[in-house]
Amino acid sequence: MNKINVAVVMGGYSTEFGISIQSGMVVCASLDRQIYNTFPIHITRENWFYLDPSGIQHSVNKADFSFNNGTHNIVPDVVFNTVHGTPGEDGYLASYFELLNIPQTSTGFYAAALSFNKRDCLTVLKDFGIACASSVYINQGMPIHEEAIIETVGLPCFVKPNRAGSSFGVSKVSELKDLRSAIELAFKEDPEILIETALVGTEVSIGVYRTGNELIALSPTEIVSENDFFDYEAKYEGKSQEITPARISEAATKAVKIEAKKIYHLLNMKGVTRSDFIIQDGVPFFIEINTTPGLSAESIIPKQALEAGMSLTEFFGILIEETLSSK
């Protein structure tokens, strides 16, 4: 049997570059070498290249995504996308690979672009009756009426860049006097921001993926942050507890699984996604959805897959085979 050539793309152009490299290397280390030839592809603004086992860089030809492995030229059979942020999570790479007719493991370009734009995604899902926090949207250069914002969302509230991940530029604001500086911090990440009511409840994160005709929701993970919220330190530097399965009732677990699968379906997702919710008074309020969720050793999805009884080798294999079967 000929092995399947898998290009694992990682890196990207955003502040999540380092986290993406970690995710990509976990995938490379986990894929079954008897079935797949694995090629780590680094995506940087300066260059796209295959990094071979001896540390030599082989440039990728962007015309057809081919590269030399030291002996011959390779065009991958499938791409495993682990690029967080742009261009891997916002639809650019998805559209590129679609034009080249190379299947890739994350969702299509439109669904990726829509979900990466938190404001647009929330607007669409609210129209379908998905529970979301009250929010205000601001673009850089617009007048900022702080009292009017707080009248709408209340205190405390969250100030977030519209298109960023890993909680970069996110602030929790408890007093009116701190709102302006939080807005300025968010604008450093994105000229579009949103300000949301801080919901009070249990924060959970849940993975969903498709295999055949079945949508599967993994067990939700409860997020207990040592910091004021689930920020970068909490996510990646051990300043949180991530408890899988979440310590919530059977009814709440069922409700959040139903809601996560409903959102996956409504947004026409592919691959594995991770959706974040706050369960307030038994109701799961949607926060955001990630279409290339972290797959590093510290990340939530690998822990949920292991809790479900799957090795990462098995889980990543399922994602690749699903991608190839739906080509």
Side-chain angles (χ1 to χ4, degrees):
M1 181 181 85
N2 290 331
K3 291 186 183 180
I4 297 167
N5 290 327
V6 182
V8 182
V9 296
M10 62 190 82
Y13 307 156
S14 77
T15 43
E16 297 181 87
F17 178 90
I19 301 157
S20 173
I21 296 293
Q22 293 177 38
S23 292
M25 296 316 293
V26 167
V27 173
C28 288
S30 302
L31 288 178
D32 189 335
R33 298 300 170 90
Q34 294 186 328
I35 302 173
Y36 308 111
N37 293 317
T38 304
F39 302 95
I41 306 295
H42 290 235
I43 304 288
T44 73
R45 288 194 184 277
E46 296 75 30
N47 191 18
W48 295 12
F49 58 88
Y50 159 55
L51 188 67
D52 75 17
S54 60
I56 297 172
Q57 298 180 8
H58 304 265
S59 289
V60 170
N61 181 350
K62 294 180 184 178
D64 60 2
F65 202 65
S66 65
F67 51 89
N68 196 285
N69 70 346
T71 58
H72 58 280
N73 227 38
I74 290 173
V75 176
D77 299 306
V78 62
V79 169
F80 199 116
N81 180 12
T82 67
V83 176
H84 313 316
T86 189
E89 197 165 4
D90 53 5
Y92 285 103
L93 280 184
S95 58
Y96 167 74
F97 290 124
E98 188 164 323
L99 288 170
L100 293 179
N101 198 31
I102 299 175
Q104 54 94 32
T105 55
S106 60
T107 200
F109 71 93
Y110 178 73
L114 174 63
S115 59
F116 193 71
N117 189 308
K118 296 182 181 73
R119 303 187 330 188
D120 290 354
C121 187
L122 289 167
T123 299
V124 168
L125 291 176
K126 283 176 182 176
D127 280 349
F128 281 108
I130 301 297
C132 306
S134 299
S135 55
V136 170
Y137 306 151
I138 304 175
N139 289 354
Q140 206 157 23
M142 288 173 57
I144 297 170
H145 304 293
E146 294 168 41
E147 290 81 3
I149 291 169
I150 297 307
E151 273 185 32
T152 301
V153 301
L155 286 170
C157 63
F158 282 104
V159 181
K160 304 177 180 181
N162 187 35
R163 297 162 297 188
S166 296
S167 299
F168 287 114
V170 177
S171 302
K172 186 175 183 181
V173 175
S174 298
E175 298 183 45
L176 178 62
K177 66 180 178 61
D178 298 324
L179 181 61
R180 176 73 60 164
S181 59
I183 289 170
E184 290 170 358
L185 177 66
F187 276 143
K188 290 180 180 178
E189 290 287 329
D190 190 0
E192 300 176 1
I193 68 171
L194 66 159
I195 304 171
E196 293 179 321
T197 301
L199 299 166
V200 179
T202 303
E203 182 169 1
V204 298
S205 194
I206 181 168
V208 176
Y209 67 99
R210 183 184 297 280
T211 178
N213 294 321
E214 187 180 5
L215 271 187
I216 297 174
L218 296 165
S219 290
T221 295
E222 180 182 351
I223 311 299
V224 183
S225 176
E226 292 177 22
N227 296 349
D228 208 18
F229 65 97
F230 196 43
D231 60 6
Y232 182 90
E233 278 191 338
K235 285 181 178 177
Y236 300 109
E237 296 178 3
K239 297 287 188 177
S240 70
Q241 284 183 279
E242 296 169 5
I243 301 163
T244 308
R247 300 170 300 180
I248 55 178
S249 69
E250 190 175 328
T253 298
K254 182 178 179 182
V256 78
K257 284 186 172 186
I258 289 171
E259 206 73 347
K261 290 197 287 186
K262 182 179 179 182
I263 289 165
Y264 188 106
H265 177 70
L266 287 172
L267 297 177
N268 195 27
M269 290 294 170
K270 294 194 306 179
V272 62
T273 65
R274 195 196 76 229
S275 295
D276 300 335
F277 296 87
I278 300 287
I279 300 175
Q280 179 173 281
D281 300 326
V283 177
F285 282 79
F286 173 75
I287 305 300
E288 65 177 347
I289 187 168
N290 300 270
T291 59
T292 58
L295 300 175
S296 72
E298 298 300 316
S299 299
I300 289 170
I301 291 296
K303 292 174 182 176
Q304 292 183 354
L306 293 170
E307 192 275 338
M310 290 180 283
S311 68
L312 294 186
T313 297
E314 181 183 357
F315 181 59
F316 296 153
I318 288 170
L319 298 181
I320 290 174
E321 295 307 318
E322 177 65 22
T323 299
L324 290 170
S325 69
S326 59
K327 182 180 175 181

